[in-house]
Amino acid sequence: MATPVVTKTAWKLQEIVAHASNVSSLVLGKASGRLLATGGDDCRVNLWSINKPNCIMSLTGHTSPVESVRLNTPEELIVAGSQSGSIRVWDLEAAKILRTLMGHKANICSLDFHPYGEFVASGSQDTNIKLWDIRRKGCVFRYRGHSQAVRCLRFSPDGKWLASAADDHTVKLWDLTAGKMMSEFPGHTGPVNVVEFHPNEYLLASGSSDRTIRFWDLEKFQVVSCIEGEPGPVRSVLFNPDGCCLYSGCQDSLRVYGWEPERCFDVVLVNWGKVADLAICNDQLIGVAFSQSNVSSYVVDLTRVTRTGTVTQDPVQASQPQTQQTPNPGVSLRRIYERPSTTCSKPQRVKHNSESERRSPSSEDDKDERESRAEIQNAEDYNEIFQPKNSISRTPPRRSEPFPAPPEDDIATAKEASKPSPAMDVQLPVPSQEVPARPSVMTSTPAPKGEPVIIPATRNEPIGLKASDFLPAVKVPQQAELVDEDAMSQIRKGHDTMCVVLTSRHKNLDTVRAVWTTGDIKTSVDSAVAINDLSVVVDLLNIVNQKASLWKLDLCTTVLPQIEKLLQSKYESYVQTGCTSLKLILQRFLPLITDILAAPPSVGVDISREERLHKCRLCFKQLKSISGLVKSRSGLSGRHGSAFRELHLLMASLD
């Protein structure tokens, strides 16, 4: 017998007025399930925390209605495309525009971030798909093949493929490592609204306005199954994180489907109307919908929804006979996203016609349009950039409590709802001591004991130290009051070593500062290096990094050996400073170094040129030494992995 579905499995969480005019696009952050981004006809991009009434941030820059928005996986960047064809990328931490990308001739209908590396794919009403390099601020490649507007784009979990869905009733699969189309999936009789990759298998799901969902085998490039009879156009689909089922969002319901054979596990009635996006967090499915200027959010408790086992009869298809089930519906019949390297065929270069590209009225956008080109000239670069070196590590959801169900659900839920709801902040996790004890649905691997490999830059307590050791002993009430000198002596007791370290550090910084006041940056850095204290070097580099114009070629020769030490440090703050300094050096001096080394020898004696050539050779040798370290660490997960992968791309020309 199947587990009966509780009546209250879905509830409306909140409704907000998101924009002053109509909302045209919105997206949920998949990592946390709590961050919501909306784009409207008022040309703004607004950020919200689910279940919070006030807007967190409002981003401006577009001069026409925002048609599409997308958050990257760590929820640190957001990209938005406008009706005029322009694309802007914002850094959420700095709350400023990071890049402006021009080139499309019509509305931006779809966007997606590459799972690793700073790449964005955009689909437009001009039928073109463009791949953008945010770092280089330009278009890497343009994919042509659709005959109507491209409504949805999705990168595969391994980052090697790109799936596109369009109004021409087709789904296309593009190979990023080869820069060409792999296959086309026809079959839908209406515009295809959404596509979604299976998290593990070579499987792709597509939902269409023809009220059908199709599953495609990406190994054999053929349809696996087709589900018909949806109550309305399929607006959003999402695979369960473990890949056991597919959630489909329609006009008034959430449906849970399986494939091989196709079947409906469960139906949850949700009056969310025009549902736009789905996300899963804490065994809850969060859905968002919009109507005019209002945005509504809904929650479905997945612990009460049938996903596997006995099939729940679909009320819409109750009159139709059920399809016979296989004994093991969850068994995977396809490979996972781990493929051997393949030989890349040379992609066709795209010649941009400046007159045919859409121009913005402002002169700044004209400049951006001219710079929005970063074509990949070498076919092997596709495989180098988009071929993952190891398995992709996905960012886990940020710690947060499930949304409490309405009190009328049942007695247990009412008791739980009567408790004060913990504050849910998108930016800061809830401290562990404030989380009420409750049975956990998912158990994680316990953290290993001992000192971590990387010491975080911000911690609640020092490593290997007890705060109580640094506090004065509790005074006896009858004891006479201590004078100031005795109190200071008692506080400093046992801290002679720390005082010596701090005194030495202060002395070293005074030495560097005395040289700095003379205005000679190079001598200041030399003195910091001669002290042989990385903490002093880090303090100095943090100042120099604030102003890129302070960097000179002779300064690089001194700093690069220190950067190599910083990148190998166990302290997170040291690694961050080293990555920032290396990125500035690569952006400012790597083209100069390669050009000078590649130039033919000059005629006659040019002492300044010889000195410059010597510095370039020295920097090149040091960069080659660092590139091996960067390449070995580009497979790390989290913030460090992203920084090392970006440096690896910048240092690709050294190979």
Side-chain angles (χ1 to χ4, degrees):
M1 296 292 295
T3 303
V5 179
V6 183
T7 42
K8 179 69 75 172
T9 56
W11 63 90
K12 187 174 182 179
L13 196 62
Q14 69 171 159
E15 184 174 357
I16 57 175
V17 180
H19 290 269
S21 55
N22 289 342
V23 176
S24 52
S25 58
L26 73 162
V27 66
L28 276 167
K30 298 300 187 290
S32 66
R34 296 299 195 268
L35 187 62
L36 171 66
T38 62
D41 291 347
D42 56 2
C43 310
R44 290 176 175 268
V45 176
N46 292 338
L47 272 78
W48 309 80
S49 178
I50 296 292
N51 208 22
K52 298 287 184 179
N54 298 324
C55 179
I56 300 174
M57 189 182 301
S58 184
L59 305 172
T60 60
H62 280 296
T63 56
S64 58
V66 177
E67 295 288 327
S68 181
V69 291
R70 192 73 177 173
L71 287 158
N72 70 338
T73 302
E75 298 177 3
E76 297 173 349
L77 302 177
I78 185 172
V79 59
S82 71
Q83 201 174 79
S84 65
S86 64
I87 301 171
R88 282 175 168 81
V89 184
W90 283 271
D91 185 336
L92 296 183
E93 293 183 2
K96 67 177 182 180
I97 294 179
L98 191 65
R99 289 288 182 265
T100 299
L101 307 171
M102 304 290 293
H104 281 292
K105 305 175 185 177
N107 301 16
I108 304 297
C109 303
S110 54
L111 294 163
D112 196 25
F113 272 99
H114 196 269
Y116 65 93
E118 295 191 357
F119 297 93
V120 169
S122 62
S124 172
Q125 199 168 1
D126 63 9
T127 73
N128 289 330
I129 301 170
K130 293 196 175 188
L131 185 65
W132 306 88
D133 187 338
I134 301 177
R135 176 180 52 84
R136 298 183 181 181
K137 199 180 179 182
C139 178
V140 175
F141 201 75
R142 176 166 50 185
Y143 302 95
R144 295 175 175 175
H146 287 291
S147 58
Q148 294 186 40
V150 182
R151 292 298 174 186
C152 185
L153 293 172
R154 288 293 181 271
F155 284 103
S156 62
D158 60 1
K160 295 194 297 182
W161 294 342
L162 176 67
S164 60
D167 287 349
D168 58 9
H169 308 176
T170 63
V171 177
K172 297 181 186 293
L173 188 66
W174 310 88
D175 189 347
L176 300 180
T177 61
K180 63 179 182 180
M181 185 177 70
M182 291 182 61
S183 182
E184 178 179 339
F185 303 119
H188 286 290
T189 58
V192 186
N193 300 323
V194 287
V195 288
E196 192 73 23
F197 281 95
H198 192 281
N200 301 313
E201 300 179 24
Y202 278 12
L203 188 71
L204 182 72
S206 59
S208 171
S209 297
D210 61 4
R211 303 186 179 185
T212 64
I213 297 175
R214 290 178 178 266
F215 296 91
W216 310 91
D217 190 324
L218 302 183
E219 194 172 4
K220 300 178 181 178
F221 300 112
Q222 63 185 19
V223 64
V224 174
S225 57
C226 178
I227 296 174
E228 301 178 351
E230 288 284 276
V234 182
R235 302 189 183 278
S236 184
V237 294
L238 179 67
F239 279 102
N240 198 64
D242 60 7
C244 67
C245 62
L246 178 79
Y247 300 103
S248 169
C250 296
Q251 184 74 18
D252 296 314
S253 64
L254 172 75
R255 292 169 180 256
V256 188
Y257 289 116
W259 55 96
E260 294 179 329
E262 61 272 17
R263 56 207 184 278
C264 180
F265 288 131
D266 204 350
V267 179
V268 181
L269 298 179
V270 189
N271 296 320
W272 49 24
K274 191 177 180 181
V275 58
D277 199 14
L278 303 173
I280 295 177
C281 182
N282 292 328
D283 270 347
Q284 290 182 338
L285 184 142
I286 298 95
V288 287
F290 64 92
S291 176
Q292 296 182 349
S293 61
N294 295 339
V295 173
S296 303
S297 55
Y298 298 80
V299 178
V300 178
D301 189 354
L302 296 183
T303 60
R304 304 176 182 178
V305 175
T306 305
R307 287 178 283 175
T308 56
T310 305
V311 176
T312 302
Q313 182 67 28
D314 187 345
V316 177
Q317 299 177 349
S319 60
Q320 301 178 4
Q322 289 186 357
T323 309
Q324 184 178 359
Q325 300 180 46
T326 56
N328 296 315
V331 176
S332 172
L333 302 177
R334 283 163 293 276
R335 293 183 295 171
I336 61 175
Y337 291 100
E338 293 179 0
R339 299 184 64 187
S341 301
T342 56
T343 305
C344 300
S345 59
K346 186 174 182 179
Q348 182 180 1
R349 293 185 185 177
V350 177
K351 296 182 179 180
H352 294 272
N353 186 352
S354 59
E355 295 182 358
S356 64
E357 301 291 345
R358 185 176 185 87
R359 295 183 179 273
S360 175
S362 66
S363 59
E364 179 183 357
D365 287 345
D366 289 340
K367 179 181 178 182
D368 291 330
E369 177 184 357
R370 291 193 297 270
E371 295 179 352
S372 295
R373 301 170 187 172
E375 299 178 41
I376 298 179
Q377 305 295 337
N378 188 358
E380 296 180 357
D381 290 344
Y382 283 93
N383 196 38
E384 176 68 20
I385 294 174
F386 297 108
Q387 179 75 30
K389 304 301 180 295
N390 51 16
S391 60
I392 303 301
S393 59
R394 295 170 178 80
T395 304
R398 297 174 184 174
R399 295 176 56 189
S400 55
E401 286 293 298
F403 294 112
E408 64 267 21
D409 195 353
D410 50 45
I411 299 176
T413 308
K415 292 181 179 179
E416 185 67 23
S418 63
K419 298 178 181 180
S421 177
M424 284 177 269
D425 195 338
V426 177
Q427 299 177 351
L428 297 176
V430 180
S432 57
Q433 62 268 21
E434 297 179 5
V435 179
R438 64 179 185 89
S440 177
V441 179
M442 301 291 289
T443 59
S444 58
T445 305
K449 297 181 179 180
E451 186 172 324
V453 179
I454 294 294
I455 299 178
T458 57
R459 290 179 54 86
N460 293 330
E461 59 183 17
I463 294 179
L465 300 175
K466 295 182 180 180
S468 59
D469 295 340
F470 290 84
L471 299 176
V474 179
K475 297 187 296 183
V476 181
Q478 292 80 11
Q479 183 178 355
E481 184 177 356
L482 295 177
V483 297
D484 291 345
E485 294 182 359
D486 294 337
M488 290 299 298
S489 176
Q490 184 175 357
I491 292 175
R492 296 174 59 181
K493 186 177 181 180
H495 300 277
D496 295 337
T497 304
M498 178 62 70
C499 292
V500 170
V501 172
L502 293 178
T503 304
S504 175
R505 176 92 177 270
H506 186 269
K507 181 180 179 181
N508 293 336
L509 289 175
D510 281 342
T511 303
V512 175
R513 186 184 179 188
V515 182
W516 182 274
T517 54
T518 63
D520 191 347
I521 309 297
K522 176 64 166 57
T523 307
S524 302
V525 176
D526 289 340
S527 63
V529 172
I531 293 173
N532 197 22
D533 186 354
L534 279 181
S535 62
V536 179
V537 176
V538 168
D539 290 338
L540 188 58
L541 288 181
N542 285 334
I543 298 174
V544 179
N545 290 340
Q546 298 297 320
K547 192 173 183 180
S549 59
L550 295 177
W551 285 94
K552 305 297 180 183
L553 191 59
D554 55 351
L555 186 62
C556 298
T557 60
T558 304
V559 173
L560 282 173
Q562 302 301 312
I563 290 178
E564 187 172 5
K565 296 179 182 178
L566 293 177
L567 297 181
Q568 301 177 64
S569 174
K570 65 179 180 180
Y571 297 102
E572 182 185 29
S573 58
Y574 287 18
V575 177
Q576 291 175 359
T577 301
C579 290
T580 303
S581 299
L582 182 57
K583 182 179 178 181
L584 288 172
I585 292 174
L586 293 173
Q587 290 176 338
R588 291 181 61 85
F589 297 105
L590 185 56
L592 173 65
I593 292 173
T594 53
D595 290 345
I596 291 178
L597 294 180
S602 61
V603 180
V605 178
D606 189 342
I607 297 178
S608 60
R609 187 181 185 280
E610 291 296 329
E611 292 178 350
R612 187 165 58 252
L613 180 61
H614 174 70
K615 295 176 184 177
C616 290
R617 287 174 178 170
L618 188 58
C619 290
F620 185 82
K621 181 179 179 181
Q622 293 167 343
L623 289 174
K624 285 287 288 183
S625 176
I626 297 175
S627 65
L629 173 63
V630 171
K631 185 176 182 181
S632 65
R633 300 200 173 191
S634 59
L636 296 176
S637 60
R639 184 176 181 181
H640 285 126
S642 176
F644 279 113
R645 282 190 290 273
E646 181 180 7
L647 292 174
H648 180 53
L649 290 175
L650 287 170
M651 304 179 80
S653 59
L654 294 174
D655 299 333

